[in-house]
Amino acid sequence: MKIFPKIGICLLLAGSLNLQAQTEGIITYEETHKLDIQLGEGTSLPDDFADLMPKQFTSQKDLLFNSTEAIYVDRKDNENQDFEMESDDGSFKMVIMSDESESILYQNFAEKTEVNQQGIMSKNFLIESDITKSKWRITPEKVKFQGYECQKAELEIEGKLTVAWFTPQIPVSIGPSGYHGLPGAILMVSEDDGKREIKALEINLKSLDKDAIKRPTKGKKVTQEAFDKIVKEREIEMSNMFQGRTRTR
Amino acid sequence: MKIFLTFIVSLWASYCIGQYKITGSVVDQNNQALTGATVVLIETSDSTMVEFCLTNNKGEFVLNDVSKGVYAIQLSFISFESQTVNLMTDWDEKDIQLDPFILKESSEVLKEIEVKAEHIPMGLRGDTISYNASAFKTRPNATAEDLLKKLPGIEVARDGSIKAMGKDVEQVLVDGKEFFGNDPKMATKNLPAEAIDKVEVYDKQNEVEAFTGIDDGQESQTIDLKLKEDHKNGGFGGLDIARGSENTYSAKANYMRFSPKVQASFLGASNNINNETFTINDYISFMGGIGNVMSGGNLNFSDYQPLQNGINESTSIGSNLNWDINAKVDINAHYLFNEVNNDIQSNNSITNLGEGFLFDQFTTSMNMRQNNSHKLSTKIKYKINPLTHVNFKNIISFSSRNSTNDAEVNYVLMNQNVGNSLSDFISDGDEFSFAHQTTLKRKSKKKGRNWISNFRLKKVTEDIFDNVFNSNQVQGQDILIDQNQYYKNELSQIGGDINFTEPLGSNFYLSLSYAYDRSYDRPFRNFFDLESGQEILNKSLSSDYERIYKYHVAGFNLKRNRKRLKINVGTKYQWTALYGSINDGEFKTDQLFTNILPYFNTNLKTKGRGSLDFTYNTNIIAPTLQQLLPLPNNTTPNFEFIGNPELVPQYDHRLSLGYNLFDNFSLTSLFANVRYTNSNNRIVYKNSINDQLFRRSTPVNTDKYEDINTYVSLSRPFRPLKLKYRLTINYRYADYNSFLNDLESPVKESSTNLKFSLRNKNTEHVYIETGVDWSRTNQQFEIADDLGQTFSSTNFFVDSDLYLPLGFTLTSKVNFNRFSSEGFNDQPNFILWNAAIKKLLLKDKLELRLEAFDILNQNIGYRRVPTATSIREESYNNLSQYFMFGLNYRIGNNKMDSGIQLDIQ
């Protein structure tokens, strides 16, 4: 069963209601990745280090959407969050560098396809796939967030639980980082018990320029599996470079 | 549109043959349609959503393309209670019509979620450390100083001075701009912590380096307080007022209004509880300037506690403006008004170390002083083009001072009272000064080549009137002085310098410099003896003096700057001319000195963030006008200071070796240095006492002076107890020749100072800091073994803050002081205990407090000061045991956290 055409109908049926304006706009989100730094055996750590080590990595993204498409991109003014620390005998050095390559996720709900442009270091890859239906579990819990009444929904992927809060007051089935398919725009997401959290910072419902949402075309076309393999190879390379007894997830 | 809609709908309808359609409607309790309600079809087996729809303006909905199954329908609408209803149908009809769903309005107040962004606490970018202020919690009305205290690597001493990574912080900027001149405390004590977004710390680069891009090897730091966005547009500030027993009061207000191009700040403070409202530079200018001429002493900066004794009322009002007029020009101006009223009553005893006998002097004195000063400083920076910058700086200041001093002195020799003296001293004076500096900098297109030149002008006029009444009755002799003393001086100073730097190859630079300075003094002294109210000129004490002090300095410098090693070698050649004439040539002095001043410095960066520094340098200290003037200055009873026209400049050789380490991994900072000084012709004071117990002091050059000074400071966390400790050891040894009643005598002095302090690290609920400061000084005169002095002082303190629930805070400061020395029987010690209770109100914008000072009533203002030839004990009328009730209120941008806060359950 296909959800998206049905959304289209429901919205069209509500003809006299001017919902058009509420189905276009930009939502700015902040993504926070918790850093779970595991250190190799044998490194002695003063307690202060735990205090100072960054516990998370944040970035800001924009979700531009209209009634049939959505695109999730990096914001231009992301803070440089490189971080560096070294012990006095040089035995321990930690460097966290933000990978400055761009990532764009484009979704076309009419065609039910999505294109994910991802970069590793300076090389871009295009991963195309079909939009699959998500099996959301909706609960009656409600909260108020950013002035909207939000309801809770849960999704289970590969044993990991994702919690999302959506608002029917914005009647578009869109959300950050590719999440979709709920009876309203998703304003908050929490993955795997907070490993990654996404929260809407600013909600701007307004008409967009005709070409504001463009399908990405830069990069080498690969499948998701092929891409995952390349990422793993890179990780091993990096850890060898730094004689990694340290791994960050 | 409607036709199109119908077409689409019918297309779909035909496509869905074989599937079910569920229709229904949603209404409220009054049967009114709910438009835009969410209808969700849920698969009961796993509670997943199958499809959803929104109701139209008639409250109707259609769920199409439904397959047979076991479902529930969930309905929700804003401000209404959601409903989940099991779908009951026998699947007979393709068109399932449901009864209207009635939703009830919700009385539940929904939990509101705020989003808080947590930031990385500190980051390192090259040599700049950047701290994220929101990661370090401070109390709501905390100042920037309170925030700095929490940052790892930054130490704020009890007097407010700041060290970052072990190096002194000499400047604190606000958003990159100067704030009321160069005193770091103006910003740290007045800016609210909540206005700060980031704190950046970097190696100070004086204007020369910043322009030329060549590191001068200077070892000090600059802190830049970057403001939050919502404080960069609009105003913020605070008000703090308190009133208490013994007529005490304190008031402080500040308001800052910032915008992208303009920063305007206003500060005002007034109190009579001995809190300084001014900076050390202002203090020097309105106390030291005139003071030096007046009383013949040296101002001791290491003992800078100007308002410690007596009852002092001080007021300051000031304003600071930074304005970026355009891309080429920016202006900084600040104005400060300071006024200090002192009321000091003291009891002193001086034990003079004469040859073989002890001579005591007991003084009771009352001193009332009122000083005030106005200062306006403006600085214009003009970037003529990217290669040429010019700065204009002007400082105008005006100060006036008047004081009265009444004293009674008793002289005791061998336990017998041998005399007394009474004195009444009135002084009234003012000073006006104007200083100007123009700096021109020019870079060449060739990297590393540049010119910098400065031009300076200064003009100072002083006008002082004193009345001295001094009646001495010593050893049967009666001496009476009753004089009106008029003093006038005009100082003009003009000077300039030019520096040229040329790159000679990879990281190798040659600098050439030349400087010239000329200052001209013209003091007039007219002393009139008063006889039956008539002024009669006292020719022997009156004079007019003319002094010209000129120097030319030419030098060259070779610098090699590598990443880890910097070497700097240079020499200056100084030609100094000192000309003085009394009464139009009645007495003349004309001296010419030439000196070579070599300099060598090397700085090596060691592993981690450490550095090793070695310096050899030389320095000339020329005698001051007042030290040369051979005319007695008798404003203090029974004491005369007379200058020495034969003085030559003091020439110092200095060697210093220092090691500096800050490990941001273990938060250890270590700072150690050794400094050796050898002075030729050091200027010391020769004190003598005649039979009438009249003391005379005159400066002379001594042929021997050397001292060695070692300093070690270590600060580290002590993990097992979650504490942080700091240990400082200072040892000084000096070997020099001094005078004891006209006889030259070698002196050996040694002093040791040990400071240890401990504080807890997790200051969420309680903050405790405790420490001890112990010093021991010893002086030995070779010609008089029995005159050696050893004395020690111990200061022990415990400071604590207890953060209680409901916004209450309890603070307490306890100070225990003890002095002891050989030869003094009673060992005075006293405990000073201050405590306060504070409460936050009105969303933390207002804080009320009740404070108690010197609860144990022991603030006797006692000091013991040893000098080369005497020991002085002093006690003062201090404010003791009083209480105050006060409030602190913040105004302006007060959004609690400008970020967003989230807790997901």
Side-chain angles (χ1 to χ4, degrees):
Chain A
M1 285 190 254
K2 316 238 156 65
I3 291 266
F4 300 100
K6 291 191 198 312
I7 299 175
I9 288 180
C10 286
L11 294 177
L12 289 171
L13 276 178
S16 52
L17 248 184
N18 186 14
L19 291 176
Q20 190 61 31
Q22 282 175 281
T23 61
E24 230 176 275
I26 307 180
I27 301 181
T28 304
Y29 293 93
E30 184 178 74
E31 278 194 31
T32 307
H33 297 247
K34 275 226 172 76
L35 292 178
D36 181 14
I37 300 178
Q38 289 172 1
L39 301 159
E41 296 301 304
T43 39
S44 57
L45 268 194
D47 291 335
D48 292 323
F49 188 65
D51 293 339
L52 283 189
M53 250 170 42
K55 300 204 179 49
Q56 59 207 34
F57 186 84
T58 57
S59 59
Q60 292 194 348
K61 302 222 177 201
D62 279 337
L63 177 68
L64 290 87
F65 62 95
N66 58 35
S67 52
T68 50
E69 294 168 300
I71 192 165
Y72 190 56
V73 294
D74 291 320
R75 264 188 86 95
K76 296 203 184 3
D77 54 356
N78 266 327
E79 240 179 54
N80 177 6
Q81 290 176 70
D82 293 351
F83 182 81
E84 192 182 296
M85 243 191 178
E86 193 177 331
S87 68
D88 59 356
D89 60 357
S91 67
F92 190 88
K93 180 168 179 160
M94 180 175 83
V95 177
I96 297 176
M97 290 194 309
S98 47
D99 187 343
E100 306 207 337
S101 46
E102 231 188 325
S103 115
I104 303 175
L105 177 59
Y106 168 83
Q107 291 169 309
N108 190 317
F109 301 117
E111 295 169 18
K112 290 162 283 163
T113 55
E114 68 181 27
V115 180
N116 189 354
Q117 180 187 307
Q118 283 273 32
I120 300 181
M121 297 301 162
S122 52
K123 201 155 172 179
N124 279 329
F125 296 92
L126 281 178
I127 306 151
E128 292 181 352
S129 49
D130 291 332
I131 295 178
T132 51
K133 179 186 166 178
S134 315
K135 290 187 110 194
W136 290 100
R137 249 199 322 268
I138 299 198
T139 71
E141 276 174 70
K142 287 195 203 180
V143 289
K144 216 170 159 67
F145 178 64
Q146 299 286 22
Y148 289 92
E149 205 174 273
C150 297
Q151 212 173 328
K152 187 174 174 186
E154 292 176 347
L155 188 64
E156 203 165 308
I157 306 177
E158 291 162 21
K160 302 216 175 109
L161 185 67
T162 296
V163 175
W165 295 83
F166 64 94
T167 175
Q169 290 171 265
I170 305 174
V172 212
S173 295
I174 46 111
S177 194
Y179 288 105
H180 60 274
L182 285 173
I186 300 173
L187 299 186
M188 289 191 274
V189 175
S190 172
E191 286 174 357
D192 198 9
D193 203 23
K195 279 257 159 57
R196 182 165 78 139
E197 281 178 3
I198 313 177
K199 316 139 202 163
L201 300 182
E202 239 176 75
I203 298 159
N204 256 319
L205 298 174
K206 60 175 189 189
S207 314
L208 298 177
D209 289 336
K210 276 227 196 91
D211 52 0
I213 302 179
K214 276 197 292 209
R215 188 195 204 96
T217 46
K218 273 197 303 192
K220 177 175 171 184
K221 290 204 181 137
V222 291
T223 60
Q224 185 68 52
E225 295 86 25
F227 180 75
D228 288 340
K229 218 170 120 194
I230 297 170
V231 169
K232 256 217 156 52
E233 280 167 16
R234 268 297 162 148
E235 258 176 34
I236 296 172
E237 243 179 69
M238 291 293 275
S239 68
N240 283 338
M241 253 171 68
F242 289 103
Q243 291 162 22
R245 285 183 302 174
T246 310
R247 209 174 66 231
T248 65
R249 281 192 282 135
Chain B
M1 186 64 173
K2 274 230 152 86
I3 300 171
F4 180 65
L5 279 175
T6 327
F7 178 66
I8 299 285
V9 171
S10 54
L11 260 185
W12 261 112
S14 56
Y15 185 75
C16 299
I17 291 173
Q19 301 294 337
Y20 293 87
K21 184 168 90 173
I22 304 177
T23 55
S25 63
V26 184
V27 295
D28 67 9
Q29 294 186 297
N30 298 326
N31 220 10
Q32 297 293 319
L34 292 178
T35 308
T38 313
V39 181
V40 180
L41 187 67
I42 298 176
E43 179 131 12
T44 328
S45 56
D46 57 5
S47 300
T48 53
M49 177 182 76
V50 171
E51 77 179 78
F52 64 88
C53 200
L54 295 178
T55 55
N56 65 12
N57 60 346
K58 293 207 192 102
E60 295 160 353
F61 68 85
V62 178
L63 288 165
N64 278 302
D65 218 15
V66 181
S67 321
K68 216 167 174 180
V70 184
Y71 300 108
I73 295 187
Q74 192 194 90
L75 306 117
S76 52
F77 189 67
I78 321 166
S79 311
F80 277 71
E81 279 179 20
S82 301
Q83 255 187 51
T84 309
V85 176
N86 286 323
L87 179 66
M88 304 301 224
T89 178
D90 41 19
W91 303 98
D92 283 343
E93 302 270 324
K94 285 279 184 228
D95 226 318
I96 304 172
Q97 307 257 2
L98 298 176
D99 288 332
F101 292 95
I102 303 172
L103 293 185
K104 246 174 39 182
E105 272 187 53
S106 168
S107 53
E108 183 194 349
V109 173
L110 288 181
K111 174 189 163 109
E112 219 169 307
I113 296 197
E114 284 164 14
V115 180
K116 171 161 71 178
E118 257 187 67
H119 295 279
I120 294 177
M122 66 187 265
L124 225 50
R125 239 153 269 142
D127 270 327
T128 301
I129 299 186
S130 174
Y131 299 90
N132 215 310
S134 55
F136 300 93
K137 279 210 194 95
T138 50
R139 314 316 287 176
N141 59 1
T143 59
E145 185 183 74
D146 299 322
L147 172 64
L148 291 178
K149 282 183 186 170
K150 296 195 178 271
L151 306 180
I154 298 193
E155 306 277 345
V156 182
R158 297 174 91 217
D159 66 353
S161 60
I162 311 165
K163 269 192 157 60
M165 318 308 150
K167 302 180 203 172
D168 290 323
V169 171
E170 288 184 3
Q171 187 172 53
V172 175
L173 304 173
V174 176
D175 258 354
K177 306 232 187 253
E178 269 185 36
F179 190 79
F180 286 95
N182 277 324
D183 187 337
K185 292 186 236 178
M186 288 307 275
T188 58
K189 289 192 186 276
N190 289 300
L191 211 67
E194 64 164 19
I196 300 172
D197 178 36
K198 285 187 164 37
V199 176
E200 287 187 357
V201 182
Y202 49 89
D203 274 324
K204 174 185 174 147
Q205 284 191 321
N206 57 43
E207 287 193 51
V208 174
E209 289 166 19
F211 184 76
T212 63
I214 304 170
D215 186 350
D216 217 355
Q218 298 296 312
E219 293 283 295
S220 68
Q221 300 271 39
T222 296
I223 289 182
D224 190 356
L225 302 172
K226 296 257 185 260
L227 301 180
K228 290 185 180 152
E229 280 307 315
D230 60 3
H231 284 84
K232 286 208 256 211
N233 269 299
F236 58 93
L239 178 69
D240 189 302
I241 46 182
R243 188 95 168 90
S245 61
E246 318 285 323
N247 242 345
T248 51
Y249 77 89
S250 141
K252 201 165 163 178
N254 63 48
Y255 185 69
M256 302 179 214
R257 205 177 170 83
F258 288 12
S259 74
K261 298 212 158 195
V262 180
Q263 281 183 1
S265 317
F266 303 95
L267 300 178
S270 179
N271 69 76
N272 64 358
I273 50 173
N274 294 15
N275 283 338
E276 300 156 35
T277 56
F278 43 83
T279 68
I280 186 170
N281 291 316
D282 296 309
Y283 178 70
I284 294 169
S285 64
F286 70 66
M287 299 287 255
I290 304 179
N292 246 348
V293 175
M294 293 297 300
S295 61
N298 285 320
L299 200 58
N300 186 0
F301 294 128
S302 63
D303 211 7
Y304 173 58
Q305 280 174 321
L307 302 186
Q308 192 188 40
N309 298 308
I311 312 268
N312 301 293
E313 185 171 356
S314 61
T315 301
S316 294
I317 298 175
S319 161
N320 185 65
L321 175 72
N322 279 313
W323 182 12
D324 280 346
I325 299 181
N326 59 42
K328 292 192 174 192
V329 184
D330 69 72
I331 295 186
N332 168 279
H334 75 261
Y335 167 75
L336 268 177
F337 166 74
N338 285 312
E339 183 176 280
V340 180
N341 286 332
N342 306 98
D343 177 356
I344 305 177
Q345 292 161 30
S346 65
N347 284 312
N348 298 344
S349 72
I350 300 181
T351 305
N352 286 302
L353 308 170
E355 31 172 23
F357 59 90
L358 284 175
F359 169 125
D360 296 341
Q361 189 174 311
F362 296 93
T363 309
T364 310
S365 77
M366 277 191 1
N367 194 332
M368 305 271 283
R369 262 198 307 218
Q370 190 196 65
N371 293 356
N372 60 49
S373 75
H374 300 258
K375 181 171 95 162
L376 175 67
S377 160
T378 55
K379 191 164 172 180
I380 302 175
K381 289 194 196 171
Y382 179 39
K383 294 189 183 140
I384 302 175
N385 61 52
L387 297 174
T388 315
H389 293 190
V390 67
N391 293 349
F392 301 101
K393 187 169 175 179
N394 292 309
I395 303 179
I396 300 180
S397 76
F398 176 76
S399 56
S400 79
R401 146 188 169 141
N402 51 54
S403 67
T404 59
N405 188 324
D406 295 319
E408 185 178 321
V409 189
N410 283 306
Y411 301 96
V412 172
L413 190 60
M414 318 253 226
N415 291 320
Q416 284 216 306
N417 186 311
V418 294
N420 61 41
S421 90
L422 279 169
S423 73
D424 251 310
F425 176 68
I426 299 173
S427 172
D428 210 321
D430 47 63
E431 181 188 283
F432 171 80
S433 88
F434 169 75
H436 167 85
Q437 180 169 323
T438 297
T439 304
L440 178 65
K441 303 185 248 196
R442 190 168 164 81
K443 271 200 273 229
S444 141
K445 291 228 171 86
K446 174 176 180 183
K447 188 169 177 219
R449 177 193 286 169
N450 56 70
W451 293 88
I452 298 182
S453 64
N454 290 298
F455 169 71
R456 281 177 294 269
L457 252 183
K458 188 171 180 176
K459 188 116 176 124
V460 182
T461 56
E462 287 170 303
D463 205 331
I464 301 169
F465 165 74
D466 292 337
N467 173 273
V468 179
F469 176 86
N470 204 332
S471 152
N472 274 332
Q473 286 165 332
V474 177
Q475 308 259 47
Q477 294 225 355
D478 249 319
I479 304 172
L480 180 69
I481 300 174
D482 190 0
Q483 280 174 357
N484 278 348
Q485 302 175 341
Y486 296 87
Y487 181 87
K488 248 182 143 81
N489 189 13
E490 266 180 32
L491 167 73
S492 316
Q493 191 174 5
I494 190 168
D497 58 72
I498 183 163
N499 302 277
F500 172 68
T501 304
E502 174 74 28
L504 294 180
S506 68
N507 297 312
F508 208 33
Y509 303 91
L510 171 68
S511 292
L512 297 171
S513 67
Y514 169 73
Y516 170 72
D517 202 273
R518 177 185 191 265
S519 71
Y520 176 71
D521 260 295
R522 192 91 214 267
F524 282 87
R525 284 183 4 161
N526 284 324
F527 283 29
F528 294 90
D529 289 314
L530 287 170
E531 278 166 37
S532 358
Q534 295 278 13
E535 277 187 352
I536 298 176
L537 183 65
N538 183 328
K539 282 230 169 100
S540 64
L541 294 175
S542 303
S543 68
D544 71 82
Y545 192 62
E546 200 182 14
R547 179 180 87 133
I548 302 175
Y549 176 59
K550 267 201 301 214
Y551 66 75
H552 297 265
V553 183
F556 76 87
N557 194 296
L558 279 169
K559 219 183 297 226
R560 177 121 191 261
N561 264 4
R562 282 293 187 81
K563 237 179 156 179
R564 290 181 78 98
L565 178 66
K566 293 188 176 76
I567 302 182
N568 205 329
V569 181
T571 278
K572 286 199 179 124
Y573 180 77
Q574 178 158 341
W575 179 94
T576 316
L578 218 55
Y579 169 80
S581 136
I582 300 178
N583 291 340
D584 275 330
E586 194 183 300
F587 180 89
K588 262 212 278 226
T589 175
D590 205 338
Q591 320 255 25
L592 194 67
F593 311 105
T594 54
N595 295 101
I596 296 183
L597 298 166
Y599 172 83
F600 173 76
N601 167 269
T602 171
N603 185 293
L604 173 70
K605 292 243 185 303
T606 58
K607 264 213 288 211
R609 282 179 73 80
S611 72
L612 192 61
D613 197 278
F614 172 74
T615 306
Y616 165 69
N617 71 349
T618 51
N619 197 22
I620 296 182
I621 298 171
T624 65
L625 167 63
Q626 190 232 338
Q627 285 170 328
L628 288 170
L629 190 68
L631 289 177
N633 181 323
N634 62 351
T635 54
T636 309
N638 240 20
F639 170 78
E640 185 183 78
F641 175 86
I642 186 163
N644 178 356
E646 307 280 302
L647 281 178
V648 298
Q650 174 180 319
Y651 184 93
D652 290 347
H653 297 264
R654 269 192 217 128
L655 276 171
S656 83
L657 179 64
Y659 178 66
N660 190 332
L661 171 72
F662 178 72
D663 178 17
N664 60 0
F665 184 77
S666 62
L667 294 179
T668 300
S669 83
L670 172 66
F671 191 59
N673 71 26
V674 176
R675 216 168 277 179
Y676 168 75
T677 305
N678 187 318
S679 290
N680 287 344
N681 291 322
R682 189 171 185 95
I683 300 174
V684 295
Y685 289 90
K686 185 161 121 173
N687 298 314
S688 59
I689 305 160
N690 67 12
D691 291 334
Q692 278 71 48
L693 303 183
F694 192 84
R695 287 181 304 130
R696 177 172 276 139
S697 177
T698 187
V700 294
N701 295 109
T702 185
D703 56 1
K704 179 182 178 192
Y705 183 97
E706 46 181 6
D707 74 36
I708 186 162
N709 214 315
T710 62
Y711 177 84
V712 178
S713 171
L714 171 69
S715 160
R716 243 191 118 84
F718 184 58
R719 276 170 270 133
L721 295 177
K722 296 208 188 297
L723 299 171
K724 194 168 156 133
Y725 71 83
R726 189 182 181 89
L727 176 66
T728 304
I729 303 174
N730 200 332
Y731 173 72
R732 178 178 172 263
Y733 176 75
D735 187 352
Y736 58 97
N737 286 340
S738 183
F739 292 86
L740 207 52
N741 218 28
D742 278 343
L743 292 174
E744 194 165 5
S745 163
V747 181
K748 289 190 183 10
E749 234 176 62
S750 73
S751 71
T752 313
N753 173 271
L754 214 106
K755 283 202 246 272
F756 178 73
S757 71
L758 209 56
R759 69 174 176 85
N760 67 325
K761 288 196 327 166
N762 182 356
T763 56
E764 185 76 37
H765 300 291
V766 72
Y767 162 78
I768 300 187
E769 183 171 357
T770 180
V772 68
D773 185 333
W774 174 83
S775 327
R776 193 185 124 108
T777 312
N778 175 282
Q779 262 177 0
Q780 291 290 340
F781 286 86
E782 216 172 81
I783 63 166
D785 275 338
D786 55 334
L787 291 179
Q789 277 297 311
T790 302
F791 104 112
S792 63
S793 79
T794 313
N795 175 302
F796 173 67
F797 71 92
V798 180
D799 287 351
S800 62
D801 284 350
L802 186 63
Y803 307 117
L804 301 168
L806 299 179
F808 279 98
T809 305
L810 218 55
T811 67
S812 161
K813 282 184 170 28
V814 181
N815 248 300
F816 171 77
N817 298 284
R818 187 190 155 90
F819 297 93
S820 70
S821 63
E822 312 168 338
F824 281 84
N825 289 327
D826 63 76
Q827 314 289 18
N829 45 35
F830 55 98
I831 302 178
L832 285 179
W833 181 27
N834 296 344
I837 180 159
K838 305 181 189 180
K839 164 106 176 96
L840 287 168
L841 295 166
L842 295 185
K843 288 199 180 169
D844 293 350
K845 277 184 9 167
L846 176 68
E847 183 188 71
L848 295 179
R849 65 177 186 269
L850 187 60
E851 292 179 283
F853 296 89
D854 187 23
I855 296 171
L856 303 173
N857 201 4
Q858 293 193 13
N859 190 14
I860 58 180
Y862 175 81
R863 284 197 321 171
R864 184 171 275 164
V865 184
T867 68
T869 53
S870 67
I871 303 249
R872 195 164 75 228
E873 284 181 287
E874 310 169 332
S875 73
Y876 297 89
N877 64 323
N878 283 354
L879 257 186
S880 56
Q881 201 179 60
Y882 64 100
F883 306 88
M884 286 186 96
F885 177 73
L887 64 84
N888 180 302
Y889 184 69
R890 292 167 311 133
I891 53 176
N893 281 322
N894 279 325
K895 288 186 230 158
M896 273 308 293
D897 291 297
S898 61
I900 20 198
Q901 194 159 16
L902 173 78
D903 1 281
I904 296 186
Q905 289 166 321

